[in-house]
């Protein structure tokens, strides 16, 4: 299939080629528009702009479909693991057992941090947000690996960078939590799984090892898997944009951490818990809260609802909702916030405002309750998102370089003053 669109502006006609994806999404190629006509397109927030062609993740927001490399998220959630899915997203295919074992072993080998990195953690004040520590420490890590400060996106050097980042991000995350609580650092254990090791470094105490419950380990693995990639979201676009200047992978993903931190993006998982706790503690009527979220004269939003792309259920939210039930039952936890979330969802989904705007629960609506149930502190929720998203960021950085993309440099429509003469300070 192919096609063309005609743009007619001020009596001048230009033909724009249609680019059609494997799922029949159509984009109009405007790369030559400015050279041919002097025109640019204007799309603040990039809601209608395809910034790249990508083979990694497919989303159909109208139908609530999410696939990594062609595999349905529901099937991966049921049958795969985070590390296998990370491999799939990074390298484009499901690994053989041998490849998976090597990938796993490479990551396990890289869990330790250089001993002098400890002093960097100590430089942060008490209560420093773990997202700030994570972003800084990823850049710090780059300093310990000068040979990897390149744009190499294949071969041994790339595989080493992947293993280092994916492994050490867990250690940095757990240690940033311990630093923020004034606790001693727990060295990684060589004998536990990827997720088990994270739990161990978070919660073990000297001479008192944390008991890694299989249902908790499985829940974390699923949480990471569901966050592995999500096409051109804010943080992934940030990673691509930073990387397009040919800065190294460590710095590019550190930039992604910064973008993820905001409450409209990854920070929403913590904001959902704050919202549910506020409703619970203050006995706010759910219909009153929903009314406040609809009222444009205040800043209240229904956190964990709405999505730029999904105009239907976020498939990750569906999976997490079931998982939350299972985990709470297995851990014998009765969290009143879960009931509030369920009822709030019901109230919102039957409200005309939310129906008209196609606002549904997104991944963050139930993920916070899951993380809370397994003992993850709220200020670590977005860090957990970052650990899960790391393979997606790396895969997008790699793809961007392999496509030999030009440096990202959007245009603008200038709306400021026209040329005016400088007025000396004494005359102003
Ligand atoms: N509560 C109340 N109204 C909302 C909400 C919400 N959560 N989300 C969107 N709306 C309204 C919005 O005000 C607008 O109304 P109107 O048409 O009257 O101006 C309409 O729905 C369309 O929304 P939008 O502003 O075009 O949406 P967007 O694509 O610019 O923003 C969003 C998407 C996710 C930032 C937004 O829905 C939001 O702020 N949600 C709450 C924060 C949240 O849960 N973020 C996590 C996103 S999923 C995971 C991730 O990407 O990190």
């Amino acid at each position: 299939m192919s096609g063309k669109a005609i743009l007619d502006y001020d009596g001048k006609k230009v033909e724009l080629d249609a680019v059609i994806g494997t799922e029949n999404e159509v984009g109009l190629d405007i790369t030559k528009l400015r050279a041919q006509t002097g025109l640019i397109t204007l799309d603040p927030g990039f809601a209608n702009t395809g910034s790249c062609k990508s083979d990694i993740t497919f989303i159909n927001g109208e139908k609530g479909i999410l696939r990594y490399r062609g595999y349905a998220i529901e099937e991966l959630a049921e049958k795969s693991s985070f590390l296998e899915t990370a491999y799939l997203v990074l390298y484009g295919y499901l690994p053989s057992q041998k490849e998976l074992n090597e990938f796993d072993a490479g990551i396990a080998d890289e869990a330790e941090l250089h001993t002098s990195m400890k002093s960097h953690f100590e430089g942060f004040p008490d209560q420093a947000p773990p997202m700030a520590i994570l972003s800084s420490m990823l850049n710090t890590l780059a300093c310990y690996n000068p040979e990897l400060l390149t744009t190499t996106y294949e071969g041994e050097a790339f595989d080493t960078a992947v293993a280092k980042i994916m492994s050490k991000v867990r250690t940095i995350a757990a240690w940033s939590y311990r630093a923020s609580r004034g606790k001693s650092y727990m060295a990684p254990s060589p004998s536990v799984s990827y997720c088990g090791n994270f739990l161990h470094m978070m919660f073990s105490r000297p001479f008192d090892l944390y008991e890694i419950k299989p249902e908790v380990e499985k829940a974390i693995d699923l949480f990471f898997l569901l966050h592995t990639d999500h096409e051109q979201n804010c943080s992934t676009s940030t990673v691509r944009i930073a990387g397009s200047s040919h800065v190294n992978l460590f710095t590019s993903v550190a930039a992604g951490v910064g973008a993820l931190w905001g409450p409209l993006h990854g920070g929403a998982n913590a904001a959902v818990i704050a919202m549910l706790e506020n409703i619970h503690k203050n006995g706010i009527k759910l219909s009153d809260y929903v009314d406040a979220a609809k009222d444009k004269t205040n800043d209240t939003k229904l956190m964990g609802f709405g999505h730029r792309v999904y105009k239907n259920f976020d498939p990750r939210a569906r999976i997490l909702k079931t998982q939350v039930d299972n985990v709470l039952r297995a851990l014998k936890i009765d969290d009143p916030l879960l009931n509030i979330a369920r009822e709030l969802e019901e109230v919102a989904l039957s409200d005309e405002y939310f129906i008209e705007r196609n606002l549904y629960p997104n991944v963050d609506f139930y993920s916070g309750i899951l993380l809370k149930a397994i003992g993850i502190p709220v200020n670590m929720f977005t860090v957990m998102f970052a650990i899960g998203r790391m393979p997606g960021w790396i895969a997008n950085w790699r793809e961007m370089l392999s496509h030999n993309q030009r440096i990202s440099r959007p245009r603008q429509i200038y709306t400021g003053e026209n040329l005016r003469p400088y007025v000396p300070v004494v005359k102003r």
Side-chain angles (χ1 to χ4, degrees), residues 97-259:
Q97 189 62 59
K98 181 170 172 284
E99 286 168 322
L100 184 57
N101 292 349
E102 282 169 7
F103 184 61
D104 197 348
I107 288 174
D109 256 12
E110 288 288 352
E112 278 183 73
L113 297 181
H114 192 289
T115 180
S116 65
M117 270 184 82
K118 272 190 193 164
S119 61
H120 293 275
F121 285 96
E122 275 136 32
F124 289 97
D126 288 353
Q127 311 301 326
M131 281 299 270
I133 302 180
L134 180 62
S135 182
S136 317
M137 284 306 214
L138 283 166
N139 258 317
T140 308
L141 194 56
C143 309
Y144 287 83
N145 299 279
E147 74 289 359
L148 298 176
L149 299 187
T150 65
T151 51
T152 307
Y153 59 83
E154 52 196 1
E156 211 181 311
F158 174 71
D159 296 344
T160 305
V162 169
K164 280 188 189 294
I165 293 175
M166 285 204 41
S167 190
K168 294 184 199 305
V169 68
R170 274 173 318 174
T171 315
I172 293 173
W175 285 21
S176 68
Y177 162 67
R178 296 184 84 105
S180 74
R181 300 280 166 112
K183 291 175 184 237
S184 60
Y185 307 113
M186 191 51 61
S189 161
S191 56
V192 290
S193 70
Y194 185 86
C195 296
N197 216 341
F198 172 70
L199 290 164
H200 156 71
M201 288 188 278
M202 282 281 291
F203 300 124
S204 283
R205 295 191 302 190
F207 310 110
D208 180 14
L209 291 187
Y210 171 81
E211 184 200 339
I212 303 165
K213 295 200 176 92
E215 56 272 23
V216 171
E217 196 176 8
K218 174 96 197 45
I220 300 240
D221 193 88
L222 179 69
F223 173 91
F224 288 155
L225 184 153
L226 292 175
H227 287 79
T228 307
D229 193 45
H230 213 235
E231 54 123 293
Q232 304 313 314
N233 56 80
C234 178
S235 55
T236 302
S237 299
T238 302
V239 171
R240 277 190 178 249
I241 289 179
S244 77
S245 74
H246 289 187
V247 74
N248 68 81
L249 178 57
F250 296 81
T251 301
S252 301
V253 296
V257 171

Side-chain angles (χ1 to χ4, degrees), residues 76-90:
L76 291 170
E78 191 192 329
K79 300 178 183 162
S80 185
S81 65
F82 173 57
L83 284 191
E84 185 182 64
T85 299
Y87 191 106
L88 167 72
V89 165
L90 284 162

Side-chain angles (χ1 to χ4, degrees), residues 263-266 268 293 296 301-308 353 357 359 362-364 385:
L264 298 188
H265 190 12
K296 306 283 180 197
K301 276 190 168 187
L302 190 49
M303 298 311 286
F305 256 72
H307 198 274
R308 171 60 60 81
Y353 172 98
R357 289 169 178 76
L359 301 171
N362 59 50
V363 68
D364 294 314
F385 192 150

Side-chain angles (χ1 to χ4, degrees), residues 40-116:
I40 62 164
T41 54
L42 182 63
D43 184 20
F46 310 129
N48 295 295
T49 297
S51 61
C52 59
K53 293 187 204 166
S54 180
D55 300 344
I56 304 171
T57 289
F58 171 67
I59 301 177
N60 181 322
E62 279 66 38
K63 295 188 181 153
I65 293 174
L66 169 61
R67 294 181 202 145
Y68 299 153
R69 303 280 190 186
Y71 295 96
I73 191 69
E74 292 80 4
E75 202 178 3
L76 291 170
E78 191 192 329
K79 300 178 183 162
S80 185
S81 65
F82 173 57
L83 284 191
E84 185 182 64
T85 299
Y87 191 106
L88 167 72
V89 165
L90 284 162
Y91 297 103
Y93 62 94
L94 285 168
S96 65
Q97 189 62 59
K98 181 170 172 284
E99 286 168 322
L100 184 57
N101 292 349
E102 282 169 7
F103 184 61
D104 197 348
I107 288 174
D109 256 12
E110 288 288 352
E112 278 183 73
L113 297 181
H114 192 289
T115 180
S116 65

